[in-house]
Amino acid sequence: MDAQTPYIVVTGTDYSEQASRALRAAYELAKKHAPAELHVVHASLLASAAVGYAVPPFGGVPASPVRDLDDQQRALTQHLDEQLSKLPGFAQSGVSVMAHVLLDAPMFALTRLAAELDADVIVVGSHGRHGIARWLLGSVAEAVVRQASCPVMVIPPLPGELASPRHEPGGRAQIYHEAEPAVRQ
């Protein structure tokens, strides 16, 4: 990368606190490599303007009100204004921020945009779901890691936010392999 080529970071947002943490990490990474571009993606499979009508998710009932792409773009821009205004020295950071609202599944939106931009890295947050919740809801972070054509940085949840998997009570540890003592007496 020469001095004129910007370092390109792609991150996604679902407006959660975890996504905000990933955005801050993506910004810090971009700032270290300035001049840089930070591309923030909000992906949605629901957009009345794109398909002409509301497409309901599984079960036939929209999970949230359907907004057209212009409304989603305004919401993303407002969210970024709020998040970036909290960062000290943002105006002098050398980081250009672009907002993208894409009609696609989040994992595909992030990896496709990163490939189109020849991104240097994708930054995603992980909610730390386990078991049935992960199976039902999927894992965008895991899918991005598998599909991306560039390195992926995963920002884990804070320790208090991570739901630990349940362990069965009364379990015992079994010695799988015991090393020989280094010195025999």
Side-chain angles (χ1 to χ4, degrees):
M1 181 173 84
D2 63 46
Q4 303 295 16
T5 304
Y7 188 81
I8 299 175
V9 180
V10 174
T11 190
T13 187
D14 60 2
Y15 303 107
S16 67
E17 179 54 35
Q18 190 58 28
S20 294
R21 289 184 61 235
L23 173 64
R24 289 189 296 273
Y27 165 74
E28 290 299 326
L29 186 60
K31 188 169 83 169
K32 285 181 186 176
H33 293 89
E37 294 177 2
L38 175 56
H39 294 263
V40 183
V41 177
H42 175 71
S44 174
L45 290 174
L46 301 175
S48 58
V51 293
Y53 57 91
V55 179
F58 307 108
V61 179
S64 60
V66 176
R67 299 185 299 191
D68 67 26
L69 291 176
D70 290 337
D71 286 345
Q72 290 184 42
Q73 187 71 40
R74 280 189 290 278
L76 179 57
T77 301
Q78 180 181 355
H79 175 72
L80 289 175
D81 286 345
E82 291 168 7
Q83 295 296 312
L84 298 174
S85 69
K86 299 175 187 175
L87 303 172
F90 173 70
Q92 299 82 22
S93 67
V95 177
S96 299
V97 179
M98 285 73 144
H100 302 265
V101 173
L102 302 174
L103 186 63
D104 206 347
M107 68 187 114
F108 297 127
L110 287 167
T111 56
R112 286 178 185 151
L113 181 64
E116 287 172 17
L117 297 172
D118 196 21
D120 293 285
V121 65
I122 300 172
V123 179
V124 292
S126 172
H127 291 285
R129 293 185 181 102
H130 295 285
I132 193 79
R134 183 170 155 241
W135 181 74
L136 287 173
L137 300 173
S139 172
V140 172
E142 182 180 350
V144 168
V145 168
R146 283 188 276 116
Q147 299 290 328
S149 59
C150 64
V152 178
M153 176 188 286
V154 179
I155 307 302
L158 295 171
E161 298 170 342
L162 186 59
S164 298
R166 293 183 49 144
H167 297 280
E168 291 296 320
R172 297 188 309 171
Q174 179 180 359
I175 297 174
Y176 176 71
H177 175 72
E178 189 170 350
E180 292 286 324
V183 178
R184 291 188 184 250
Q185 296 180 353

